[in-house]
Amino acid sequence: MSKIHNLICYKKNNAQKSMSAVEETFVGAIDEGTSSTRFLVFSSKTHQPVASHQISTTNISLHEGWVEQDPEDILMKVKETIAVTCEKLKMMNISPSAIAAIGVTNQRETTLVWDKYTGKPLYNAIIWMDMRTQPIVDRFINKRIPNCHTLEEKKRHLQFKCGLTMNPYFSAFKLVWLMENVPEVSKAIQEERCMFGTMDSWLIWNLTGGINGGAHITDVTNASRTMLMNIHSLRWDKALIDFFDIPSKLIYPEIRSCSEVYGRMTDGPLLDTPISGCIGDQQAALMGQMCFLAGQAKCTFGTGCFLLYNTGRKPVISTHGLLTTVAYKMGKHTDPIYALEGSVAVAGSATKWLKDNLCIVDSYKSMEVMAGSVEDTNGIHFVPAFSGLYAPYWKSDARGTITGLTMETTDAHLMRATLEGICFQTKDVMQSMQSDTGHPITALNVDGGMSTSDTFLKILTNVCCLPVVRPKMVETTALGAALAAGFAIGIWSMHSVKSNCDTFIQTLSEEEQKSEYVLWKKAIDRSIGWNKDDEENEYDDFAGF
């Protein structure tokens, strides 16, 4: 009897092991960023990446302030990262067929146009940071607008409909430039063969068949950055389109949720795998940080920093220099979730400036060691406004300013002041979010390159006077895209995913930080007005904010 019992247990245990092995599937994530293209594969059980490949992208700058990329080169690199990652999986004895779905996350606002019949781009992709459209922005601000009498009213004229105010970042202005400056584009529009989209649209259309029935779609998060989608109806808005004088014959992508099957891969090692997730990179990071509840916020610290605050099912229209955007919509029949967003132009690039331009530090690691070697900045404040101040000030005439220098100031004090300056800018955005929502942020989730530094996060938690939470798995943007794809086909639910984190708690009193914040505000005042003659008109500030 004992032998039979043992045999049954042996078979049962092995069946459970076999089932467990079968249950583990994988989800791929295409992460198409400004500086690199990546493909990562996540385990359905651990939410951890098991394999990945990354290729640097190439920016094209034909004139100062212009930033373009070759759409066909981007597509080729996406396919290459997928192929190389699949080979890595095979070396791990994992079949690429175990990848059950693919999500896409991408640089937002970047604008593309291509021919419906040939599939060829009609021009390079105009990247989100491209500033060539500033004169077009100024022109639309100067446009005669009923019931708008002041500059501020004109800047915010479209805000209630699209959540955004007029700025060169957004896709509508890039599209207008293409129509006015590239004859092939205007001709293709008139002939009803010009397809328009953001980077996600270009990739998904090509990967699901292109001219042979590819899905021409975008998701609500990317569409919300174009200035052409109504954030309430989640549809392309005729009044917005008419405001920008965009012809009706342009072919727009269908706006879909972030989590549903859009189509299937039509070639390569992942042939017939569904693409079932699509979400802009900053919103993907919000999702990867598991910020699913209203009041939760995340900040990504890279070259600049982007802070998103989940406001729940109703959009909050900012009156304090922030943007309203769609955070995510997880499925066709779910409600959209909205967010307030504030961007800071200079974060990690300030540390790069210290290393490359001033040559007073040789690496970010040595900088954080120096910054941690002193208890404070010895009274100095560094406002890294190299190209103006972004949210919540939006002052193009601001410039980098260091205040409070004395003979006792050392390199270490400057290192710490640089990190503090980035933290104070984050606090500025958080204060605006609190003013717009009426609710304070109780904890800040962080990711991005700078968040790997304990020294930086200790400073951040003291400056912002709240706990700072860093996930142990740092690939939050790609994870967000993978989660969206996995939710669509039932691999995960939003209640089943968990995040392991490290939490940093403030050690300075709020009174100590209040006095430092007052000095920071004085430094901000001194940074404004350096690049503006008295005669210059008021439109020279960042249009739209």
Side-chain angles (χ1 to χ4, degrees), residues 111-143:
T111 303
L112 299 96
V113 284
W114 64 96
D115 191 293
K116 174 181 179 180
Y117 299 111
T118 67
K120 296 295 182 182
L122 298 168
Y123 192 78
N124 282 335
I126 301 182
I127 304 305
W128 61 272
M129 66 178 73
D130 187 289
M131 295 298 289
R132 78 185 69 183
T133 57
Q134 184 66 64
I136 296 175
V137 174
D138 294 340
R139 191 177 83 213
F140 278 100
I141 289 177
N142 281 307
K143 192 175 181 179

PDB file of all heavy atoms in Angstrom, residues 111-143:
ATOM      1  N   THR A 111       6.350  62.337 -34.754  1.00  0.00           N
ATOM      2  CA  THR A 111       5.333  62.369 -35.805  1.00  0.00           C
ATOM      3  C   THR A 111       5.847  61.761 -37.107  1.00  0.00           C
ATOM      4  O   THR A 111       6.949  62.085 -37.552  1.00  0.00           O
ATOM      5  CB  THR A 111       4.888  63.823 -36.043  1.00  0.00           C
ATOM      6  OG1 THR A 111       4.412  64.362 -34.788  1.00  0.00           O
ATOM      7  CG2 THR A 111       3.793  63.917 -37.082  1.00  0.00           C
ATOM      8  N   LEU A 112       5.033  60.870 -37.700  1.00  0.00           N
ATOM      9  CA  LEU A 112       5.409  60.201 -38.949  1.00  0.00           C
ATOM     10  C   LEU A 112       4.278  60.287 -39.959  1.00  0.00           C
ATOM     11  O   LEU A 112       3.097  60.281 -39.596  1.00  0.00           O
ATOM     12  CB  LEU A 112       5.734  58.730 -38.705  1.00  0.00           C
ATOM     13  CG  LEU A 112       6.896  58.424 -37.768  1.00  0.00           C
ATOM     14  CD1 LEU A 112       6.393  58.148 -36.362  1.00  0.00           C
ATOM     15  CD2 LEU A 112       7.684  57.224 -38.269  1.00  0.00           C
ATOM     16  N   VAL A 113       4.653  60.333 -41.244  1.00  0.00           N
ATOM     17  CA  VAL A 113       3.697  60.246 -42.347  1.00  0.00           C
ATOM     18  C   VAL A 113       4.269  59.283 -43.389  1.00  0.00           C
ATOM     19  O   VAL A 113       5.459  59.310 -43.677  1.00  0.00           O
ATOM     20  CB  VAL A 113       3.417  61.625 -42.979  1.00  0.00           C
ATOM     21  CG1 VAL A 113       2.503  62.460 -42.106  1.00  0.00           C
ATOM     22  CG2 VAL A 113       4.702  62.390 -43.252  1.00  0.00           C
ATOM     23  N   TRP A 114       3.416  58.427 -43.946  1.00  0.00           N
ATOM     24  CA  TRP A 114       3.897  57.464 -44.941  1.00  0.00           C
ATOM     25  C   TRP A 114       2.798  57.166 -45.951  1.00  0.00           C
ATOM     26  O   TRP A 114       1.622  57.486 -45.750  1.00  0.00           O
ATOM     27  CB  TRP A 114       4.409  56.188 -44.280  1.00  0.00           C
ATOM     28  CG  TRP A 114       3.406  55.359 -43.539  1.00  0.00           C
ATOM     29  CD1 TRP A 114       2.725  54.279 -44.017  1.00  0.00           C
ATOM     30  CD2 TRP A 114       2.970  55.528 -42.163  1.00  0.00           C
ATOM     31  NE1 TRP A 114       1.902  53.756 -43.043  1.00  0.00           N
ATOM     32  CE2 TRP A 114       2.038  54.488 -41.907  1.00  0.00           C
ATOM     33  CE3 TRP A 114       3.279  56.422 -41.149  1.00  0.00           C
ATOM     34  CZ2 TRP A 114       1.404  54.352 -40.667  1.00  0.00           C
ATOM     35  CZ3 TRP A 114       2.658  56.299 -39.921  1.00  0.00           C
ATOM     36  CH2 TRP A 114       1.738  55.271 -39.682  1.00  0.00           C
ATOM     37  N   ASP A 115       3.208  56.551 -47.076  1.00  0.00           N
ATOM     38  CA  ASP A 115       2.317  56.284 -48.192  1.00  0.00           C
ATOM     39  C   ASP A 115       1.524  54.996 -47.954  1.00  0.00           C
ATOM     40  O   ASP A 115       2.099  53.941 -47.674  1.00  0.00           O
ATOM     41  CB  ASP A 115       3.122  56.176 -49.490  1.00  0.00           C
ATOM     42  CG  ASP A 115       2.250  56.151 -50.735  1.00  0.00           C
ATOM     43  OD1 ASP A 115       1.501  55.175 -50.929  1.00  0.00           O
ATOM     44  OD2 ASP A 115       2.324  57.127 -51.518  1.00  0.00           O
ATOM     45  N   LYS A 116       0.224  55.104 -48.080  1.00  0.00           N
ATOM     46  CA  LYS A 116      -0.666  53.974 -47.838  1.00  0.00           C
ATOM     47  C   LYS A 116      -0.393  52.800 -48.775  1.00  0.00           C
ATOM     48  O   LYS A 116      -0.543  51.633 -48.386  1.00  0.00           O
ATOM     49  CB  LYS A 116      -2.117  54.447 -48.012  1.00  0.00           C
ATOM     50  CG  LYS A 116      -3.166  53.359 -47.932  1.00  0.00           C
ATOM     51  CD  LYS A 116      -4.556  53.940 -48.154  1.00  0.00           C
ATOM     52  CE  LYS A 116      -5.626  52.843 -48.110  1.00  0.00           C
ATOM     53  NZ  LYS A 116      -6.990  53.409 -48.318  1.00  0.00           N
ATOM     54  N   TYR A 117       0.023  53.086 -50.015  1.00  0.00           N
ATOM     55  CA  TYR A 117       0.147  52.043 -51.027  1.00  0.00           C
ATOM     56  C   TYR A 117       1.559  51.467 -51.139  1.00  0.00           C
ATOM     57  O   TYR A 117       1.718  50.280 -51.418  1.00  0.00           O
ATOM     58  CB  TYR A 117      -0.322  52.580 -52.376  1.00  0.00           C
ATOM     59  CG  TYR A 117      -1.769  53.011 -52.348  1.00  0.00           C
ATOM     60  CD1 TYR A 117      -2.107  54.356 -52.438  1.00  0.00           C
ATOM     61  CD2 TYR A 117      -2.787  52.081 -52.194  1.00  0.00           C
ATOM     62  CE1 TYR A 117      -3.447  54.768 -52.385  1.00  0.00           C
ATOM     63  CE2 TYR A 117      -4.119  52.469 -52.134  1.00  0.00           C
ATOM     64  CZ  TYR A 117      -4.440  53.813 -52.233  1.00  0.00           C
ATOM     65  OH  TYR A 117      -5.754  54.216 -52.169  1.00  0.00           O
ATOM     66  N   THR A 118       2.568  52.308 -50.929  1.00  0.00           N
ATOM     67  CA  THR A 118       3.943  51.811 -51.022  1.00  0.00           C
ATOM     68  C   THR A 118       4.523  51.443 -49.659  1.00  0.00           C
ATOM     69  O   THR A 118       5.478  50.674 -49.577  1.00  0.00           O
ATOM     70  CB  THR A 118       4.853  52.865 -51.667  1.00  0.00           C
ATOM     71  OG1 THR A 118       4.977  54.002 -50.794  1.00  0.00           O
ATOM     72  CG2 THR A 118       4.306  53.313 -53.009  1.00  0.00           C
ATOM     73  N   GLY A 119       3.969  52.018 -48.609  1.00  0.00           N
ATOM     74  CA  GLY A 119       4.500  51.795 -47.266  1.00  0.00           C
ATOM     75  C   GLY A 119       5.742  52.606 -46.978  1.00  0.00           C
ATOM     76  O   GLY A 119       6.320  52.478 -45.891  1.00  0.00           O
ATOM     77  N   LYS A 120       6.158  53.455 -47.898  1.00  0.00           N
ATOM     78  CA  LYS A 120       7.386  54.231 -47.727  1.00  0.00           C
ATOM     79  C   LYS A 120       7.114  55.530 -46.957  1.00  0.00           C
ATOM     80  O   LYS A 120       6.103  56.195 -47.202  1.00  0.00           O
ATOM     81  CB  LYS A 120       8.006  54.571 -49.084  1.00  0.00           C
ATOM     82  CG  LYS A 120       8.473  53.358 -49.873  1.00  0.00           C
ATOM     83  CD  LYS A 120       9.619  52.660 -49.169  1.00  0.00           C
ATOM     84  CE  LYS A 120      10.147  51.468 -49.968  1.00  0.00           C
ATOM     85  NZ  LYS A 120      11.235  50.767 -49.246  1.00  0.00           N
ATOM     86  N   PRO A 121       8.039  55.917 -46.053  1.00  0.00           N
ATOM     87  CA  PRO A 121       7.880  57.200 -45.359  1.00  0.00           C
ATOM     88  C   PRO A 121       7.912  58.354 -46.357  1.00  0.00           C
ATOM     89  O   PRO A 121       8.665  58.329 -47.341  1.00  0.00           O
ATOM     90  CB  PRO A 121       9.097  57.255 -44.428  1.00  0.00           C
ATOM     91  CG  PRO A 121       9.566  55.840 -44.299  1.00  0.00           C
ATOM     92  CD  PRO A 121       9.242  55.182 -45.598  1.00  0.00           C
ATOM     93  N   LEU A 122       7.096  59.371 -46.104  1.00  0.00           N
ATOM     94  CA  LEU A 122       7.087  60.570 -46.932  1.00  0.00           C
ATOM     95  C   LEU A 122       8.086  61.605 -46.423  1.00  0.00           C
ATOM     96  O   LEU A 122       8.358  62.594 -47.102  1.00  0.00           O
ATOM     97  CB  LEU A 122       5.678  61.173 -46.959  1.00  0.00           C
ATOM     98  CG  LEU A 122       4.597  60.270 -47.570  1.00  0.00           C
ATOM     99  CD1 LEU A 122       3.209  60.818 -47.292  1.00  0.00           C
ATOM    100  CD2 LEU A 122       4.825  60.110 -49.076  1.00  0.00           C
ATOM    101  N   TYR A 123       8.618  61.372 -45.241  1.00  0.00           N
ATOM    102  CA  TYR A 123       9.638  62.235 -44.643  1.00  0.00           C
ATOM    103  C   TYR A 123      10.172  61.492 -43.424  1.00  0.00           C
ATOM    104  O   TYR A 123       9.592  60.505 -42.977  1.00  0.00           O
ATOM    105  CB  TYR A 123       9.040  63.598 -44.233  1.00  0.00           C
ATOM    106  CG  TYR A 123      10.087  64.642 -43.865  1.00  0.00           C
ATOM    107  CD1 TYR A 123      10.781  65.313 -44.861  1.00  0.00           C
ATOM    108  CD2 TYR A 123      10.376  64.934 -42.538  1.00  0.00           C
ATOM    109  CE1 TYR A 123      11.746  66.272 -44.542  1.00  0.00           C
ATOM    110  CE2 TYR A 123      11.333  65.884 -42.203  1.00  0.00           C
ATOM    111  CZ  TYR A 123      12.013  66.548 -43.206  1.00  0.00           C
ATOM    112  OH  TYR A 123      12.978  67.484 -42.889  1.00  0.00           O
ATOM    113  N   ASN A 124      11.297  61.950 -42.903  1.00  0.00           N
ATOM    114  CA  ASN A 124      11.803  61.373 -41.659  1.00  0.00           C
ATOM    115  C   ASN A 124      10.813  61.603 -40.510  1.00  0.00           C
ATOM    116  O   ASN A 124       9.986  62.523 -40.555  1.00  0.00           O
ATOM    117  CB  ASN A 124      13.146  62.004 -41.281  1.00  0.00           C
ATOM    118  CG  ASN A 124      14.299  61.433 -42.090  1.00  0.00           C
ATOM    119  OD1 ASN A 124      14.224  60.306 -42.578  1.00  0.00           O
ATOM    120  ND2 ASN A 124      15.365  62.198 -42.232  1.00  0.00           N
ATOM    121  N   ALA A 125      10.924  60.786 -39.473  1.00  0.00           N
ATOM    122  CA  ALA A 125      10.151  61.024 -38.252  1.00  0.00           C
ATOM    123  C   ALA A 125      10.677  62.294 -37.591  1.00  0.00           C
ATOM    124  O   ALA A 125      11.888  62.458 -37.410  1.00  0.00           O
ATOM    125  CB  ALA A 125      10.302  59.842 -37.306  1.00  0.00           C
ATOM    126  N   ILE A 126       9.775  63.206 -37.246  1.00  0.00           N
ATOM    127  CA  ILE A 126      10.162  64.411 -36.508  1.00  0.00           C
ATOM    128  C   ILE A 126      10.011  64.102 -35.019  1.00  0.00           C
ATOM    129  O   ILE A 126       8.917  63.802 -34.536  1.00  0.00           O
ATOM    130  CB  ILE A 126       9.312  65.624 -36.905  1.00  0.00           C
ATOM    131  CG1 ILE A 126       9.464  65.900 -38.409  1.00  0.00           C
ATOM    132  CG2 ILE A 126       9.717  66.857 -36.105  1.00  0.00           C
ATOM    133  CD1 ILE A 126       8.686  67.111 -38.898  1.00  0.00           C
ATOM    134  N   ILE A 127      11.135  64.157 -34.310  1.00  0.00           N
ATOM    135  CA  ILE A 127      11.197  63.676 -32.925  1.00  0.00           C
ATOM    136  C   ILE A 127      10.585  64.691 -31.968  1.00  0.00           C
ATOM    137  O   ILE A 127      10.596  65.895 -32.210  1.00  0.00           O
ATOM    138  CB  ILE A 127      12.660  63.351 -32.557  1.00  0.00           C
ATOM    139  CG1 ILE A 127      13.234  62.345 -33.557  1.00  0.00           C
ATOM    140  CG2 ILE A 127      12.762  62.804 -31.137  1.00  0.00           C
ATOM    141  CD1 ILE A 127      12.436  61.075 -33.714  1.00  0.00           C
ATOM    142  N   TRP A 128      10.071  64.204 -30.859  1.00  0.00           N
ATOM    143  CA  TRP A 128       9.332  65.022 -29.895  1.00  0.00           C
ATOM    144  C   TRP A 128      10.086  66.277 -29.461  1.00  0.00           C
ATOM    145  O   TRP A 128       9.508  67.332 -29.244  1.00  0.00           O
ATOM    146  CB  TRP A 128       8.971  64.179 -28.663  1.00  0.00           C
ATOM    147  CG  TRP A 128      10.170  63.637 -27.919  1.00  0.00           C
ATOM    148  CD1 TRP A 128      10.802  62.460 -28.168  1.00  0.00           C
ATOM    149  CD2 TRP A 128      10.847  64.239 -26.820  1.00  0.00           C
ATOM    150  NE1 TRP A 128      11.850  62.288 -27.296  1.00  0.00           N
ATOM    151  CE2 TRP A 128      11.898  63.372 -26.446  1.00  0.00           C
ATOM    152  CE3 TRP A 128      10.676  65.420 -26.101  1.00  0.00           C
ATOM    153  CZ2 TRP A 128      12.770  63.661 -25.401  1.00  0.00           C
ATOM    154  CZ3 TRP A 128      11.544  65.712 -25.044  1.00  0.00           C
ATOM    155  CH2 TRP A 128      12.578  64.830 -24.709  1.00  0.00           C
ATOM    156  N   MET A 129      11.426  66.215 -29.349  1.00  0.00           N
ATOM    157  CA  MET A 129      12.197  67.346 -28.836  1.00  0.00           C
ATOM    158  C   MET A 129      12.530  68.383 -29.913  1.00  0.00           C
ATOM    159  O   MET A 129      13.110  69.415 -29.616  1.00  0.00           O
ATOM    160  CB  MET A 129      13.491  66.848 -28.194  1.00  0.00           C
ATOM    161  CG  MET A 129      14.458  66.217 -29.187  1.00  0.00           C
ATOM    162  SD  MET A 129      16.013  65.672 -28.427  1.00  0.00           S
ATOM    163  CE  MET A 129      15.468  64.235 -27.532  1.00  0.00           C
ATOM    164  N   ASP A 130      12.155  68.103 -31.152  1.00  0.00           N
ATOM    165  CA  ASP A 130      12.440  69.008 -32.266  1.00  0.00           C
ATOM    166  C   ASP A 130      11.739  70.350 -32.040  1.00  0.00           C
ATOM    167  O   ASP A 130      10.573  70.400 -31.674  1.00  0.00           O
ATOM    168  CB  ASP A 130      11.938  68.359 -33.561  1.00  0.00           C
ATOM    169  CG  ASP A 130      12.325  69.137 -34.805  1.00  0.00           C
ATOM    170  OD1 ASP A 130      11.760  70.223 -35.027  1.00  0.00           O
ATOM    171  OD2 ASP A 130      13.169  68.633 -35.555  1.00  0.00           O
ATOM    172  N   MET A 131      12.467  71.454 -32.284  1.00  0.00           N
ATOM    173  CA  MET A 131      11.943  72.791 -31.978  1.00  0.00           C
ATOM    174  C   MET A 131      11.680  73.638 -33.225  1.00  0.00           C
ATOM    175  O   MET A 131      11.433  74.837 -33.123  1.00  0.00           O
ATOM    176  CB  MET A 131      12.920  73.521 -31.052  1.00  0.00           C
ATOM    177  CG  MET A 131      13.073  72.886 -29.685  1.00  0.00           C
ATOM    178  SD  MET A 131      11.532  72.878 -28.741  1.00  0.00           S
ATOM    179  CE  MET A 131      11.375  74.616 -28.352  1.00  0.00           C
ATOM    180  N   ARG A 132      11.697  73.056 -34.405  1.00  0.00           N
ATOM    181  CA  ARG A 132      11.521  73.836 -35.639  1.00  0.00           C
ATOM    182  C   ARG A 132      10.139  74.478 -35.732  1.00  0.00           C
ATOM    183  O   ARG A 132       9.928  75.415 -36.507  1.00  0.00           O
ATOM    184  CB  ARG A 132      11.758  72.946 -36.860  1.00  0.00           C
ATOM    185  CG  ARG A 132      10.598  72.038 -37.217  1.00  0.00           C
ATOM    186  CD  ARG A 132      10.901  71.089 -38.354  1.00  0.00           C
ATOM    187  NE  ARG A 132      11.864  70.082 -37.959  1.00  0.00           N
ATOM    188  CZ  ARG A 132      12.359  69.157 -38.766  1.00  0.00           C
ATOM    189  NH1 ARG A 132      11.969  69.115 -40.030  1.00  0.00           N
ATOM    190  NH2 ARG A 132      13.226  68.269 -38.339  1.00  0.00           N
ATOM    191  N   THR A 133       9.186  73.962 -34.968  1.00  0.00           N
ATOM    192  CA  THR A 133       7.807  74.435 -35.122  1.00  0.00           C
ATOM    193  C   THR A 133       7.470  75.633 -34.243  1.00  0.00           C
ATOM    194  O   THR A 133       6.313  76.069 -34.226  1.00  0.00           O
ATOM    195  CB  THR A 133       6.815  73.296 -34.801  1.00  0.00           C
ATOM    196  OG1 THR A 133       7.075  72.816 -33.470  1.00  0.00           O
ATOM    197  CG2 THR A 133       6.956  72.158 -35.789  1.00  0.00           C
ATOM    198  N   GLN A 134       8.454  76.193 -33.544  1.00  0.00           N
ATOM    199  CA  GLN A 134       8.149  77.342 -32.683  1.00  0.00           C
ATOM    200  C   GLN A 134       7.450  78.485 -33.435  1.00  0.00           C
ATOM    201  O   GLN A 134       6.465  79.048 -32.928  1.00  0.00           O
ATOM    202  CB  GLN A 134       9.429  77.853 -32.015  1.00  0.00           C
ATOM    203  CG  GLN A 134       9.197  78.990 -31.020  1.00  0.00           C
ATOM    204  CD  GLN A 134       8.394  78.561 -29.814  1.00  0.00           C
ATOM    205  OE1 GLN A 134       8.821  77.719 -29.036  1.00  0.00           O
ATOM    206  NE2 GLN A 134       7.202  79.127 -29.657  1.00  0.00           N
ATOM    207  N   PRO A 135       7.901  78.868 -34.656  1.00  0.00           N
ATOM    208  CA  PRO A 135       7.183  79.925 -35.379  1.00  0.00           C
ATOM    209  C   PRO A 135       5.730  79.556 -35.694  1.00  0.00           C
ATOM    210  O   PRO A 135       4.856  80.433 -35.717  1.00  0.00           O
ATOM    211  CB  PRO A 135       8.001  80.088 -36.665  1.00  0.00           C
ATOM    212  CG  PRO A 135       9.370  79.582 -36.322  1.00  0.00           C
ATOM    213  CD  PRO A 135       9.134  78.463 -35.362  1.00  0.00           C
ATOM    214  N   ILE A 136       5.479  78.277 -35.939  1.00  0.00           N
ATOM    215  CA  ILE A 136       4.101  77.840 -36.209  1.00  0.00           C
ATOM    216  C   ILE A 136       3.268  77.969 -34.941  1.00  0.00           C
ATOM    217  O   ILE A 136       2.107  78.403 -34.982  1.00  0.00           O
ATOM    218  CB  ILE A 136       4.090  76.391 -36.745  1.00  0.00           C
ATOM    219  CG1 ILE A 136       4.807  76.316 -38.093  1.00  0.00           C
ATOM    220  CG2 ILE A 136       2.656  75.860 -36.866  1.00  0.00           C
ATOM    221  CD1 ILE A 136       4.966  74.910 -38.645  1.00  0.00           C
ATOM    222  N   VAL A 137       3.857  77.601 -33.809  1.00  0.00           N
ATOM    223  CA  VAL A 137       3.170  77.758 -32.529  1.00  0.00           C
ATOM    224  C   VAL A 137       2.805  79.225 -32.320  1.00  0.00           C
ATOM    225  O   VAL A 137       1.663  79.563 -31.967  1.00  0.00           O
ATOM    226  CB  VAL A 137       4.048  77.242 -31.372  1.00  0.00           C
ATOM    227  CG1 VAL A 137       3.393  77.550 -30.023  1.00  0.00           C
ATOM    228  CG2 VAL A 137       4.293  75.750 -31.497  1.00  0.00           C
ATOM    229  N   ASP A 138       3.768  80.117 -32.522  1.00  0.00           N
ATOM    230  CA  ASP A 138       3.528  81.552 -32.356  1.00  0.00           C
ATOM    231  C   ASP A 138       2.394  82.024 -33.271  1.00  0.00           C
ATOM    232  O   ASP A 138       1.553  82.841 -32.875  1.00  0.00           O
ATOM    233  CB  ASP A 138       4.800  82.346 -32.663  1.00  0.00           C
ATOM    234  CG  ASP A 138       5.916  82.071 -31.662  1.00  0.00           C
ATOM    235  OD1 ASP A 138       5.603  81.587 -30.562  1.00  0.00           O
ATOM    236  OD2 ASP A 138       7.085  82.337 -31.993  1.00  0.00           O
ATOM    237  N   ARG A 139       2.374  81.498 -34.494  1.00  0.00           N
ATOM    238  CA  ARG A 139       1.345  81.892 -35.458  1.00  0.00           C
ATOM    239  C   ARG A 139      -0.048  81.501 -34.967  1.00  0.00           C
ATOM    240  O   ARG A 139      -1.000  82.287 -35.069  1.00  0.00           O
ATOM    241  CB  ARG A 139       1.643  81.236 -36.804  1.00  0.00           C
ATOM    242  CG  ARG A 139       0.792  81.771 -37.955  1.00  0.00           C
ATOM    243  CD  ARG A 139       1.206  81.104 -39.249  1.00  0.00           C
ATOM    244  NE  ARG A 139       0.581  79.811 -39.436  1.00  0.00           N
ATOM    245  CZ  ARG A 139       1.147  78.786 -40.057  1.00  0.00           C
ATOM    246  NH1 ARG A 139       2.372  78.888 -40.531  1.00  0.00           N
ATOM    247  NH2 ARG A 139       0.507  77.650 -40.199  1.00  0.00           N
ATOM    248  N   PHE A 140      -0.167  80.301 -34.422  1.00  0.00           N
ATOM    249  CA  PHE A 140      -1.482  79.871 -33.941  1.00  0.00           C
ATOM    250  C   PHE A 140      -1.885  80.607 -32.668  1.00  0.00           C
ATOM    251  O   PHE A 140      -3.074  80.843 -32.442  1.00  0.00           O
ATOM    252  CB  PHE A 140      -1.497  78.354 -33.733  1.00  0.00           C
ATOM    253  CG  PHE A 140      -1.737  77.579 -34.987  1.00  0.00           C
ATOM    254  CD1 PHE A 140      -0.690  76.986 -35.685  1.00  0.00           C
ATOM    255  CD2 PHE A 140      -3.020  77.458 -35.506  1.00  0.00           C
ATOM    256  CE1 PHE A 140      -0.911  76.283 -36.860  1.00  0.00           C
ATOM    257  CE2 PHE A 140      -3.252  76.748 -36.682  1.00  0.00           C
ATOM    258  CZ  PHE A 140      -2.193  76.170 -37.361  1.00  0.00           C
ATOM    259  N   ILE A 141      -0.914  80.978 -31.851  1.00  0.00           N
ATOM    260  CA  ILE A 141      -1.235  81.765 -30.661  1.00  0.00           C
ATOM    261  C   ILE A 141      -1.737  83.151 -31.058  1.00  0.00           C
ATOM    262  O   ILE A 141      -2.641  83.719 -30.432  1.00  0.00           O
ATOM    263  CB  ILE A 141      -0.012  81.875 -29.729  1.00  0.00           C
ATOM    264  CG1 ILE A 141       0.270  80.524 -29.069  1.00  0.00           C
ATOM    265  CG2 ILE A 141      -0.240  82.922 -28.641  1.00  0.00           C
ATOM    266  CD1 ILE A 141       1.493  80.502 -28.201  1.00  0.00           C
ATOM    267  N   ASN A 142      -1.168  83.704 -32.121  1.00  0.00           N
ATOM    268  CA  ASN A 142      -1.571  85.025 -32.594  1.00  0.00           C
ATOM    269  C   ASN A 142      -2.867  84.999 -33.401  1.00  0.00           C
ATOM    270  O   ASN A 142      -3.385  86.042 -33.784  1.00  0.00           O
ATOM    271  CB  ASN A 142      -0.458  85.626 -33.458  1.00  0.00           C
ATOM    272  CG  ASN A 142       0.647  86.201 -32.606  1.00  0.00           C
ATOM    273  OD1 ASN A 142       0.396  87.014 -31.721  1.00  0.00           O
ATOM    274  ND2 ASN A 142       1.870  85.773 -32.856  1.00  0.00           N
ATOM    275  N   LYS A 143      -3.358  83.812 -33.678  1.00  0.00           N
ATOM    276  CA  LYS A 143      -4.579  83.658 -34.448  1.00  0.00           C
ATOM    277  C   LYS A 143      -5.745  84.335 -33.712  1.00  0.00           C
ATOM    278  O   LYS A 143      -5.811  84.304 -32.481  1.00  0.00           O
ATOM    279  CB  LYS A 143      -4.859  82.148 -34.613  1.00  0.00           C
ATOM    280  CG  LYS A 143      -5.915  81.773 -35.620  1.00  0.00           C
ATOM    281  CD  LYS A 143      -5.951  80.234 -35.729  1.00  0.00           C
ATOM    282  CE  LYS A 143      -6.972  79.766 -36.748  1.00  0.00           C
ATOM    283  NZ  LYS A 143      -6.996  78.291 -36.868  1.00  0.00           N
TER     284      LYS A 143
END
